[in-house]
Amino acid sequence: MNNKKLITMGEQFGRRSWAEPWKIKMVEPIRITSPQERRDALEKAGYNTFLLHSKDVYIDLLTDSGTGAMSDRQWAGIMLGDEAYAGSRNFFHLEEAVQKYYGYRYLVPTHQGRGAEHLLSQALIKPGQYVPGNMYFTTTRLHQELAGGTFVDVIIDEAHDPPNLHPFKGNVDLDKLEALVKRVGAESIPYISLAGTVNMAGGQPVSMANVKALRALCDRYSIPIYLDATRMVENAFFIQEREEGYKDKTIAAILQEFCSFTDGAWMSAKKDNLVNIGGWLAVNDSDLFDALRNMVVIYEGLHTYGGMAGRDMEALAIGITEAVDDDHVRSRVEQVRYLGNLLTNWEIPIVKPVGGHAIFLDAKSFYPHIPQDQFPAQTLAAGLYLDSGIRGMERGIVSAGRDPKTGDHRYPALELTRLAIPRRVYTQAHMDVVAEAVKAVYDSREQTKGLKMVYEPKYLRFFQARFERAS
Ligand SMILES: *Cc1c(COP(=O)(O)O)cnc(C)c1O
């Protein structure tokens, strides 16, 4: 791979402003609703932003998953869809792109990230085993649990402390991991579940030094490392920016080096890879690949499409290439930071440093008078929608779910409301509007009451739970 870094816009113009490395070719109108319309819509949705209709949303920051804008090249790729049931040429383009940029040998396509999580968890985890990881992710942990495993959090303590400015809050605490290995035995640990930028910690990165040291530790105990590569490109950006020795390397080179310390990866292509639907799983072990290929035909589709149309695979192959462009990643992260800086200037409590894909509002600091079992982060997401039709999501006690053994709520240290920024969709003016809305909600925080849950689904309850205002 060409390791020589191209000169980015930022470097060329020094301290002058940066701008998005694209211009807009097609627009989708959006409209703001009246306060009464929003009150009605929110009540109908049971105070859960997942249950709102998108037509009632003004600026949609629910998620950065599948909500990005594809490029003209990706749309051109859609027209090149080869919809053969088997051996579509688009699959081979996709395989080539994953091998080139992520460096793994074998590719299994899936319909989205959780399809890949399902296959990997079922293939590797035996009931009673432990899966250590750098903080849980909702679907990841659920698939590990459904396979009979118990997730164990081994992220560094700083990750649970919103204002802590550690540059790599996604790092694995190697002492915690080694203590677990000694306690349960290496044979009870099928793999390490490592996430590149940790979503639930606020989009926080893992350093190259940490993954290298993790590799050395795992080699001693013969434990493989599998990477949740969903936002690994953003992780590469933070390494380039913050870690000694990486300033002059390209995002692509950093991504490949990081992946080389792992045994395989799964991907929600709806994030970094710039498509609206899709996913993949890639591994180096040929026996594991065989097992996965046997399973993919049961749950996803044939091993050369895995639930995606040929055209989707072509757009994905092109998206992978565009995703590692240095200017693209820089403008992506800088836009998130722009919003973060506006909020910080108004002393609104957010997770710091600002991560790669979203702003996380610290709902515990927003509403110290609302106890955690009255759902402060859910309350804040509802408040923001009522103020201005902006949709975020809860990342706190509702998302954490219940302990499968005791049946009690899990009480996470982080009680956050996430404003995720879709890739290549909104402008700086939208970010200004969002910041002003958050400020308005912050200024009226003392009068706000919490919520009570009136309907609770068994799995991933945050998607469909319903609430009412607590009295
Ligand atoms: C979105 C996401 C997943 C799950 O992927 P889907 O495509 O939504 O099924 C897994 N891990 C992380 C970190 C994610 O953000």
Side-chain angles (χ1 to χ4, degrees):
M1 182 173 301
N2 178 8
N3 272 13
K4 206 170 137 278
K5 204 175 133 193
L6 299 171
I7 295 173
T8 64
M9 270 181 322
E11 284 158 1
Q12 201 174 136
F13 297 130
R15 286 189 293 109
R16 280 157 59 180
S17 295
W18 59 273
E20 290 79 2
W22 38 260
K23 56 184 177 173
I24 296 166
K25 180 160 359 201
M26 189 187 282
V27 297
E28 176 183 341
I30 52 178
R31 102 191 155 96
I32 187 158
T33 48
S34 71
Q36 187 58 46
E37 283 175 309
R38 291 197 289 281
R39 278 195 291 274
D40 293 346
L42 191 66
E43 212 155 287
K44 249 170 88 187
Y47 289 84
N48 186 343
T49 51
F50 276 100
L51 300 178
L52 289 166
H53 293 199
S54 76
K55 72 169 174 46
D56 298 324
V57 174
Y58 177 42
I59 298 176
D60 202 347
L61 308 183
L62 182 72
T63 172
D64 64 333
S65 179
T67 53
M70 292 209 296
S71 67
D72 52 357
R73 280 154 215 233
Q74 286 178 289
W75 280 108
I78 290 274
M79 299 308 292
L80 301 177
D82 168 8
E83 306 305 341
Y85 188 88
S88 158
R89 77 169 68 90
N90 311 123
F91 169 77
F92 297 106
H93 293 166
L94 173 59
E95 182 180 53
E96 206 177 297
V98 172
Q99 287 168 342
K100 177 171 174 193
Y101 291 106
Y102 292 83
Y104 304 113
R105 238 167 269 153
Y106 306 112
L107 177 73
V108 180
T110 61
H111 77 285
Q112 61 182 87
R114 71 198 71 184
E117 290 171 341
H118 172 225
L119 299 183
L120 190 71
S121 303
Q122 292 292 332
L124 292 179
I125 302 170
K126 293 193 200 78
Q129 289 189 318
Y130 297 86
V131 186
N134 52 344
M135 199 172 276
Y136 85 98
F137 183 72
T138 52
T139 56
T140 315
R141 180 175 64 190
L142 179 58
H143 279 297
Q144 291 162 354
E145 287 173 353
L146 291 173
T150 300
F151 177 82
V152 183
D153 189 4
V154 294
I155 202 166
I156 58 172
D157 287 338
E158 287 87 341
H160 295 281
D161 178 17
N164 191 300
L165 289 173
H166 192 294
F168 291 101
K169 277 168 108 173
N171 280 355
V172 172
D173 184 327
L174 299 176
D175 293 334
K176 282 188 197 169
L177 176 58
E178 194 156 24
L180 177 75
V181 177
K182 293 206 166 121
R183 183 161 69 77
V184 303
E187 65 291 348
S188 297
I189 300 179
Y191 64 96
I192 311 291
S193 178
L194 179 71
T197 82
V198 180
N199 191 348
M200 303 298 279
Q204 304 295 334
V206 178
S207 70
M208 194 71 84
N210 189 246
V211 73
K212 252 186 237 180
L214 178 66
R215 178 81 258 175
L217 180 68
C218 288
D219 281 347
R220 273 201 277 132
Y221 294 104
S222 300
I223 300 172
I225 303 169
Y226 286 95
L227 175 68
D228 185 338
T230 297
R231 295 188 187 79
M232 191 54 224
V233 170
E234 289 162 14
N235 199 111
F237 174 83
F238 290 117
I239 290 174
Q240 185 187 63
E241 181 183 69
R242 297 176 187 168
E243 197 162 355
E244 180 83 37
Y246 289 94
K247 187 163 61 60
D248 295 322
K249 294 206 168 136
T250 58
I251 295 288
I254 296 168
L255 174 68
Q256 200 176 63
E257 181 181 338
F258 194 102
C259 292
S260 75
F261 295 110
T262 68
D263 297 279
W266 72 91
M267 183 70 172
S268 170
K270 306 171 70 170
K271 324 280 175 48
D272 266 0
N273 286 173
L274 297 166
V275 288
N276 302 118
I277 192 73
W280 50 263
L281 180 57
V283 299
N284 289 332
D285 180 322
S286 59
D287 291 338
L288 175 60
F289 176 56
D290 259 2
L292 295 168
R293 265 215 309 193
N294 275 313
M295 285 168 64
V296 76
V297 296
I298 308 173
Y299 295 107
E300 301 283 316
L302 195 75
H303 58 276
T304 56
Y305 75 84
M308 285 181 281
R311 56 180 172 269
D312 294 338
M313 291 190 284
E314 191 62 31
L316 172 50
I318 298 166
I320 288 174
T321 311
E322 293 181 357
V324 297
D325 175 76
D326 283 70
D327 274 339
H328 159 71
V329 191
R330 181 189 179 82
S331 83
R332 153 78 176 150
V333 177
E334 292 289 0
Q335 186 182 40
V336 177
R337 264 187 206 156
Y338 174 82
L339 175 57
N341 288 341
L342 291 177
L343 297 174
T344 303
N345 290 343
W346 285 325
E347 296 179 0
I348 291 170
I350 62 172
V351 173
K352 288 182 198 152
V354 169
H357 68 297
I359 296 298
F360 289 74
L361 305 170
D362 182 0
K364 273 187 188 167
S365 305
F366 245 80
Y367 298 134
H369 60 286
I370 300 180
Q372 200 169 9
D373 61 6
Q374 287 185 14
F375 315 109
Q378 191 80 34
T379 304
L380 179 49
L384 199 57
Y385 175 74
L386 282 176
D387 177 81
S388 42
I390 292 163
R391 170 156 75 168
M393 84 150 86
E394 198 263 9
R395 279 298 182 223
I397 186 169
V398 184
S399 295
R402 291 182 186 271
D403 186 304
K405 290 198 187 92
T406 65
D408 294 336
H409 287 309
R410 289 189 259 227
Y411 286 83
L414 298 178
E415 179 70 26
L416 309 173
T417 303
R418 187 182 80 173
L419 305 176
I421 315 298
R423 295 165 182 78
R424 311 193 288 204
V425 170
Y426 292 115
T427 65
Q428 196 156 308
H430 291 111
M431 297 301 114
D432 292 338
V433 168
V434 171
E436 288 162 19
V438 173
K439 178 151 190 343
V441 174
Y442 189 62
D443 290 343
S444 66
R445 63 194 179 279
E446 277 154 26
Q447 296 91 295
T448 306
K449 291 199 175 73
L451 298 171
K452 61 178 184 222
M453 204 186 301
V454 295
Y455 167 70
E456 179 175 357
K458 180 159 177 218
Y459 294 120
L460 303 175
R461 63 183 183 177
F462 58 95
F463 283 132
Q464 289 151 348
R466 302 183 70 85
F467 303 84
E468 283 170 8
R469 192 67 77 184
S471 43

